[in-house]
Amino acid sequence: MKFALVTGGSRGIGRAICLKMADMGYNILINYKSNEIEANHTLSLVMGKGVSGEIIQFDVSDRNQVQSALGGWMEANQDKVIEVLINNAGIREDALMMWMKDEQWDSVIGTSLGGFFYVTRLVVNSMLMKKYGRIINIVSLSGLKGLPGQTNYSAAKAGVIGATKALAQEIGRKGITVNAIAPGFIKTDMTEGLNENELKALIPLKRFGLPEEVAHAVGFLASAEASYITAEVISVNGGLYS
Ligand code: NDP
């Protein structure tokens, strides 16, 4: 029973990744934080592809929840192996830094960077025992370039990029690759309030990307054939920045 765990799999890019992994034959473990209806919708789409799926609710930024929910699942399901981990859960809470509240800083860093740490630390152990694994972190153009109004988000994503490169070097000898995907503007709830007409003029491909276009790159890195690619960051941004 080979599973792909997708954090933040209930909506947006995470849902598209769940469906891509299902197309590749993986059973899917769908994590979400609070949107149970959307998580159930993702589950039904996954099952429609003829693989099995399970929903696992926890807040990736809460180390106790990660330990009890995910650690508990792994303990209770020792016949099931998480072969692919996609750290996708993320939020944005934009503000210019001089007005940024502690809560805005903590929640964004806690979700992307803390979430990466708590979830990966648990899952990597079983990958090490199996001597195979694929870890893919969804970062952002913001973490490469920095964007004004997003010091918290840029720091969180740049932090995950650094951790991706460090972890890749720690566990490469065990057949586990660790890579990141850096999307630009992708049409999801997260970009709902942005002025697409104005922003798309800046993008060489003249449009926002689709979640499926990010998921396709994830699928490539998750494949067995991507075996000699690690510590890499692939941009999926329509040429906006590279
Ligand atoms: P959405 O806002 O559409 O979805 C966010 C997902 O993350 C939801 O499934 C949500 O769960 C989940 N989530 C949020 N916080 C937590 C948490 N603490 N614990 C567990 N799950 C959580 O975002 P996108 O699909 O647009 O973004 C997905 C990833 O891609 C993020 O990491 C984001 O930073 C990154 N990204 C997105 C870009 C874009 O343009 N859209 C550009 C660059 C990067 P729930 O449904 O329960 O709320």
Side-chain angles (χ1 to χ4, degrees), residues 12-13 15-17 19-20 186 209-217:
I13 293 171
R15 173 181 287 162
I17 294 171
L19 297 179
K20 183 72 188 178
I186 308 297
L210 300 174
E212 293 73 22
E213 292 175 306
V214 178
H216 184 69

Side-chain angles (χ1 to χ4, degrees), residues 47-87:
M47 308 269 270
K49 290 187 176 282
V51 297
S52 80
E54 293 180 38
I55 292 177
I56 183 165
Q57 189 276 332
F58 58 86
D59 177 345
V60 295
S61 70
D62 182 328
R63 75 185 82 172
N64 295 322
Q65 280 190 33
V66 175
Q67 185 57 50
S68 63
L70 182 56
W73 185 91
M74 291 170 76
E75 190 67 37
N77 292 281
Q78 293 189 15
D79 55 323
K80 298 174 180 170
V81 181
I82 299 174
E83 199 171 86
V84 180
L85 165 62
I86 297 107
N87 287 302

